[in-house]
Amino acid sequence: MAMSLSIPSMPAPVARWLADRSRTERHIVIGVAILIAVALFYVGLWQPLTRDRDTLRATRSARAAALVAGRAMSGEIAGLARTPAATDAPDARSSLERVLSQQNLRSAVTQLDWQEGRARLVFAAVPYDALITMLEALQRQAQLRAMEATITSRVETGTVRAELTVAR
């Protein structure tokens, strides 16, 4: 049993029009149809796929860099947690005052209360980066760690309201 290949039938007007044309004209029409099909494939499928591939590669690189930075930070945090507190640590109040002065944040403190060895600090408006730098300095230099923190974004870009409780 021989298999025959069937070509889909064309609409009657198109078939008549092609039948009236010479062999060369039919080849030109078929060539133009193939070019149009290739152009549609390129514009409709190939370009979006390559654009998405490039976007995914860029995103992957950015996420890989963020992952490396996150791992470095987690290692640093783990190292800080293993660091024993100094036994001959200076007075917590003076250490806190010294770090606030070094970070130029003493004037930004709107409230400072001491209770049971814990300091409660309130900053009405402080740059977020300066707050994070101050917390790091408190931990490294004064062995004071943030036990509680409430940080609220303010209207001014990069500025926050912070209520902190720090202790050894």
Side-chain angles (χ1 to χ4, degrees):
M1 183 166 165
M3 294 188 72
S4 65
L5 192 61
S6 67
I7 299 174
S9 62
M10 290 183 253
V14 175
R16 268 189 308 240
W17 185 82
L18 280 174
D20 293 341
R21 304 292 168 235
S22 68
R23 181 179 178 97
T24 306
E25 289 174 329
R26 283 192 298 254
H27 285 297
I28 290 172
V29 168
I30 291 171
V32 168
I34 290 172
L35 282 175
I36 290 172
V38 169
L40 288 174
F41 170 77
Y42 180 75
V43 170
L45 291 174
W46 190 254
Q47 279 186 334
L49 286 174
T50 56
R51 219 179 9 247
D52 290 346
R53 180 199 62 206
D54 295 340
T55 303
L56 287 173
R57 284 182 180 164
T59 303
R60 183 184 63 193
S61 298
R63 288 188 178 173
L67 180 63
V68 169
R71 286 181 177 160
M73 283 184 208
S74 69
E76 186 175 324
I77 290 169
L80 288 173
R82 288 188 296 267
T83 304
T87 54
D88 60 341
D91 180 38
R93 290 177 193 229
S94 61
S95 297
L96 176 63
E97 291 289 338
R98 181 179 34 80
V99 170
L100 286 171
S101 296
Q102 286 175 350
Q103 300 295 320
N104 295 323
L105 291 177
R106 184 61 187 111
S107 61
V109 175
T110 56
Q111 183 180 351
L112 175 60
D113 298 324
W114 282 93
Q115 195 174 57
E116 298 175 13
R118 293 178 176 224
R120 184 171 182 277
L121 296 133
V122 176
F123 295 91
V126 63
Y128 181 74
D129 295 339
L131 179 68
I132 298 303
T133 305
M134 186 262 316
L135 286 172
E136 182 181 8
L138 278 175
Q139 187 163 346
R140 289 185 187 275
Q141 298 171 17
Q143 288 81 36
L144 292 170
R145 290 171 176 70
M147 299 299 168
E148 294 178 20
T150 303
I151 300 172
T152 309
S153 178
R154 293 182 47 91
V155 175
E156 301 87 20
T157 304
T159 305
V160 296
R161 180 183 195 287
E163 296 177 17
L164 307 170
T165 302
V166 296
R168 287 208 165 117

